[in-house]
Amino acid sequence: MRDSLGNYIVDRTESLNELLIKEYFIDSNDKKISRLLDAEQYLLLGSRGIGKTMLMKKAEIEATDTFEQNSILAVWVSFEESLRIERIKISDSTIDVDPFLQWTMGKILIEILKKIIELKPANIDFLSDKLATIFPNNETNIFPIDYYTKILNNYLEILETADIDNNTDLNKQAPSNELVKILDNPHSFKTFIIDIVSNFNLKRIILLFDEAAHVFSPSQQEKFFTFFKSLRSDKIACKAAVYPGITTYGKSFERNQDAKEIKMNWSPQNPEDLLFIKKVIKKRLQSFDSTYWEKLNVQKDIIDTLCMCSNGNPRFAFHILDELDNNNVFSKKSITKNDLINAIRKVVTTKWDEFITLSNRLVKFKIIINEAENWLKNTIIPNMRNWNNNKRTQGKKLSSGFYLETSTYEKISDVLDILSYSNFIYVDESKKSIGHSRYGYYISINPALLFSDSVLKDSVEMYNTSTNIDNNQNYSDTSEYVKPLLSVVTIISDENSCTNTKCDFITDDLSFTFCKKCGFKMEIKESTPLYKILRSHPIDNLKLSLAIVTRLATKFSNIGELYDAEIDTIRMPYIQDYRIMKIKDAVKEYMSG
């Protein structure tokens, strides 16, 4: 049976093995890989699907392939199971046990150990001796390293799945006090890692933290970036993939001070950026069927429009290609512009549907998400279409974005953050003069939205757009297109509440330690943990066929039950090994976003 196109345009890097990453990776020649392997701390900033994971995985592979020459140990770390840790409450703050930090450091340690074992450096026996001081070894028939990593894995699994309600019970589960001392104290953990670097004669360890800002809850993110900052050393370099807008760094972490930023910038008018996406598409399509690539290239406008609509996001382009294939467009003699626009519209509609489901994960953004969709779809884009229609009649430059006065931007920043996160817009953070001693930010809109809604008609028009203030609209507090949004959207903040049940003092000033009315201790109210919310969702939220969901519903009522289920528990007629793995992958993807 012939492979499907889906096997060649797999859009999640996590689904690609090392050989495929090497084959499919396209270097944009902007030195991001070398920066991910240098001694600096970095935040890799970009929207969903723009290629952060691919960059990190390729950096790890390069370090592994050159390990003998450079002695740089690069370790990619995924935190997809972190939501499970939210259920363990810190009920006694006097006990120096934080389940999230223990789990985070344990995950990092296990990945470092796996990498060392994979590379088999000459003094591997040292590692075995080192671990023997942490774990008691009563097993004589198991290779020591394997035995120790198994113990550590088991402990992490206990943190993720065991019925532990609070941190007072956590120490009872640890395999040894020595391990607790290492995992519970960032300074001790750092010392332990530096010892490994020294004893293995490593130049440095590179920790590539993927998706930390997405799968961690806001409170976890603050802890993580404080921990991230504490690891800074000439022997340890941390890099974290983060999203624009929605990442919570906390008060003790300063962007560009505690970690420099590597921005995944992209412009549909930049020939080099378009060439990069073309190379990515060409590589995947030619691996599948060279005629697909040939048909896309018959008309320059077709391939250019497709690349522009990716908005720098290969995943978005793959979804458009998949839609074309599902509609048998590649079996036709030629691909028409109408074929492409219909596919783009279908993908855009699906993306908006997915955008609304974000309110299930980003609960405190629920109102913002609804208003963001309505504002961009029903106000900004129609207005921009009218603007460009007028400009065409005048023979002037067209618009693919708009300016927003700085003070207005600050008031609706949450709306813009959530749209940036989903790759619907891109905010140029450099302030520009908009006249009369005022300044604004330029906000470009994903070209897929512009083409699907006839704001732009072809790729030639995209090349004819301008960011000049004279060619774009400028919105402020008094603009009729912004005033309705300002009336319903407020800046999101946590509530700092008095613990005295007889006192009603609440403030969004998180610096208050004690209530100014009665003197009782203040505490920040935490919303229902995301882990608990996602677990409670029905299984028909999963990206599975109706037939599979219907069968699963005879055993499982929600995603949490399916998440915890063993493979044999899921097994039933029609659902065996292959489909079970597909189900487990769908559950993990849903829980991690």
Side-chain angles (χ1 to χ4, degrees):
M1 184 175 68
R2 188 188 185 209
D3 284 345
S4 71
L5 176 61
N7 284 340
Y8 294 84
I9 55 172
V10 174
D11 61 358
R12 287 183 66 86
T13 303
E14 296 88 339
S15 302
L16 300 176
N17 59 34
E18 183 176 316
L19 289 176
L20 286 177
I21 290 174
K22 285 182 175 181
E23 179 182 352
Y24 288 154
F25 179 79
I26 301 295
D27 194 349
S28 57
N29 298 315
D30 56 5
K31 299 182 179 179
K32 285 188 175 68
I33 293 289
S34 59
R35 291 170 76 185
L36 287 176
L37 295 177
D38 69 21
E40 277 287 353
Q41 306 271 91
Y42 282 111
L43 302 175
L44 184 61
L45 182 69
S47 59
R48 299 180 73 185
I50 203 166
K52 300 186 296 298
T53 300
M54 179 68 92
L55 271 173
M56 284 190 156
K57 293 290 282 184
K58 185 60 167 61
E60 181 191 38
I61 291 170
E62 283 203 10
T64 299
D65 289 346
T66 59
F67 179 73
E68 292 298 327
Q69 294 79 40
N70 300 324
S71 296
I72 294 175
L73 190 77
V75 184
W76 180 79
V77 185
S78 171
F79 296 110
E80 67 178 5
E81 303 291 340
S82 69
L83 292 175
R84 292 173 178 255
I85 311 302
E86 284 192 336
R87 77 195 189 290
I88 304 178
K89 301 173 184 175
I90 300 182
S91 60
D92 187 348
S93 59
T94 63
I95 299 176
D96 192 21
V97 176
D98 187 313
F100 171 71
L101 283 179
Q102 281 209 356
W103 180 85
T104 300
M105 288 185 272
K107 282 289 291 183
I108 296 169
L109 180 57
I110 195 70
E111 294 302 330
I112 290 174
L113 296 180
K114 287 178 183 177
K115 202 68 183 177
I116 289 176
I117 294 167
E118 173 193 336
L119 295 174
K120 296 182 174 62
N123 53 348
I124 193 74
D125 288 341
F126 165 79
L127 182 61
S128 181
D129 294 339
K130 184 84 172 174
L131 295 178
T133 64
I134 303 172
F135 305 109
N137 185 359
N138 298 320
E139 297 285 342
T140 57
N141 59 340
I142 301 178
F143 184 58
I145 292 288
D146 294 340
Y147 177 72
Y148 300 137
T149 54
K150 181 180 178 181
I151 290 177
L152 184 53
N153 263 324
N154 288 344
Y155 181 53
L156 295 180
E157 189 172 330
I158 287 172
L159 288 173
E160 292 169 3
T161 62
D163 188 18
I164 304 171
D165 289 328
N166 56 66
N167 66 328
T168 59
D169 298 330
L170 199 55
N171 271 338
K172 302 173 186 176
Q173 306 290 339
S176 73
N177 291 331
E178 288 75 15
L179 178 65
V180 171
K181 291 176 183 177
I182 292 172
L183 298 186
D184 203 49
N185 184 324
H187 177 73
S188 298
F189 179 78
K190 178 179 178 179
T191 300
F192 185 82
I193 299 303
I194 290 176
D195 282 348
I196 290 178
V197 172
S198 174
N199 286 279
F200 280 88
N201 298 316
L202 302 177
K203 188 174 182 179
R204 61 179 165 270
I205 283 181
I206 305 289
L207 298 175
L208 302 164
F209 299 129
D210 196 21
E211 302 286 22
H214 188 205
V215 299
F216 290 163
S217 68
S219 59
Q220 288 177 340
Q221 288 178 40
E222 291 192 21
K223 291 179 183 178
F224 173 78
F225 284 106
T226 300
F227 166 69
F228 179 103
K229 175 182 177 179
S230 73
L231 289 181
R232 177 183 283 276
S233 163
D234 61 335
K235 300 298 183 183
I236 305 172
C238 300
K239 330 281 177 165
V242 298
Y243 290 108
I246 66 165
T247 305
T248 304
Y249 297 98
K251 294 181 178 179
S252 64
F253 187 92
E254 294 184 39
R255 291 163 60 185
N256 289 314
Q257 179 65 36
D258 295 315
K260 296 179 180 178
E261 290 184 348
I262 303 175
K263 293 183 178 180
M264 305 280 282
N265 292 340
W266 192 87
S267 169
Q269 295 97 346
N270 186 328
E272 290 298 317
D273 287 345
L274 288 179
L275 180 61
F276 169 73
I277 295 295
K278 280 183 185 178
K279 288 180 179 179
V280 172
I281 294 172
K282 181 179 180 180
K283 173 68 73 172
R284 301 292 181 101
L285 287 185
Q286 288 193 327
S287 297
F288 172 66
D289 188 331
S290 60
T291 63
Y292 278 37
W293 173 249
E294 291 166 7
K295 288 182 178 180
L296 277 176
N297 276 273
V298 172
Q299 299 180 55
K300 186 175 185 298
D301 181 45
I302 295 291
I303 186 63
D304 282 359
T305 300
L306 172 61
C307 292
M308 288 171 177
C309 287
S310 74
N311 204 32
N313 184 332
R315 189 180 300 176
F316 209 97
F318 295 158
H319 288 186
I320 296 171
L321 290 170
D322 201 33
E323 187 60 31
L324 289 170
D325 194 44
N326 287 338
N327 292 325
N328 298 313
V329 171
F330 287 107
S331 64
K332 296 168 61 175
K333 286 186 178 180
S334 62
I335 300 173
T336 67
K337 186 61 175 292
N338 194 49
D339 291 329
L340 178 60
I341 295 300
N342 285 339
I344 292 169
R345 284 178 178 146
K346 181 65 183 298
V347 172
V348 166
T349 298
T350 301
K351 292 302 177 186
W352 276 121
D353 290 342
E354 291 178 358
F355 179 75
I356 290 301
T357 67
L358 285 174
S359 60
N360 295 334
R361 296 181 172 85
L362 305 170
V363 180
K364 73 176 186 175
F365 282 87
K366 188 169 186 175
I367 295 175
I368 299 294
I369 289 167
N370 292 331
E371 294 300 331
E373 180 192 27
N374 180 58
W375 182 62
L376 189 59
K377 282 174 65 174
N378 301 323
T379 299
I380 298 300
I381 289 178
N383 184 42
M384 188 177 293
R385 184 167 54 243
N386 293 335
W387 172 274
N388 277 353
N389 285 339
N390 291 331
K391 292 294 182 181
R392 284 188 192 95
T393 63
Q394 300 171 31
K396 294 184 177 180
K397 290 279 187 180
L398 303 179
S399 172
S400 59
F402 59 94
Y403 279 91
L404 196 61
E405 203 164 325
T406 52
S407 60
T408 307
Y409 173 88
E410 291 167 2
K411 293 173 184 176
I412 60 171
S413 61
D414 289 320
V415 171
L416 301 169
D417 286 345
I418 202 69
L419 289 170
S420 296
Y421 163 75
S422 297
N423 202 16
F424 285 126
I425 66 171
Y426 173 74
V427 179
D428 185 341
E429 295 181 349
S430 57
K431 292 181 183 179
K432 292 182 171 63
S433 173
I434 56 177
H436 304 291
S437 301
R438 294 177 302 142
Y439 292 87
Y441 297 107
Y442 183 73
I443 298 167
S444 56
I445 297 177
N446 186 320
L449 276 62
L450 302 179
F451 284 107
S452 65
D453 276 321
S454 302
V455 178
L456 295 175
K457 296 180 179 179
D458 53 38
S459 58
V460 175
E461 287 201 335
M462 175 60 80
Y463 288 123
N464 191 41
T465 61
S466 168
T467 60
N468 190 297
I469 184 61
D470 295 331
N471 300 116
N472 291 275
Q473 295 173 88
N474 172 40
Y475 299 130
S476 63
D477 289 10
T478 58
S479 301
E480 61 177 302
Y481 304 106
V482 175
K483 284 168 68 177
L485 183 66
L486 287 171
S487 68
V488 294
V489 173
T490 56
I491 300 297
I492 295 173
S493 62
D494 293 314
E495 288 186 346
N496 200 6
S497 306
C498 179
T499 55
N500 181 0
T501 56
K502 296 180 181 180
C503 180
D504 60 359
F505 180 65
I506 297 175
T507 177
D508 60 2
D509 187 342
L510 305 185
S511 65
F512 277 85
T513 303
F514 298 99
C515 177
K516 70 176 185 179
K517 289 178 68 175
C518 68
F520 271 61
K521 188 176 180 181
M522 298 288 289
E523 67 175 13
I524 299 172
K525 282 188 175 180
E526 291 235 315
S527 56
T528 304
L530 180 56
Y531 173 80
K532 186 175 181 179
I533 293 170
L534 297 183
R535 287 177 60 88
S536 68
H537 291 167
I539 58 176
D540 57 10
N541 280 288
L542 300 173
K543 292 182 180 180
L544 297 169
S545 70
L546 178 60
I548 292 178
V549 170
T550 301
R551 284 171 171 79
L552 289 173
T554 62
K555 272 190 179 183
F556 307 99
S557 60
N558 58 47
I559 290 174
E561 292 176 0
L562 196 54
Y563 195 31
D564 293 338
E566 299 292 337
I567 289 177
D568 288 338
T569 305
I570 301 173
R571 195 181 305 279
M572 62 180 77
Y574 182 75
I575 296 180
Q576 298 300 316
D577 292 344
Y578 172 76
R579 287 194 173 97
I580 290 172
M581 295 312 297
K582 186 176 181 180
I583 290 165
K584 280 291 191 182
D585 286 343
V587 172
K588 284 184 178 180
E589 183 171 353
Y590 186 81
M591 291 295 287
S592 66

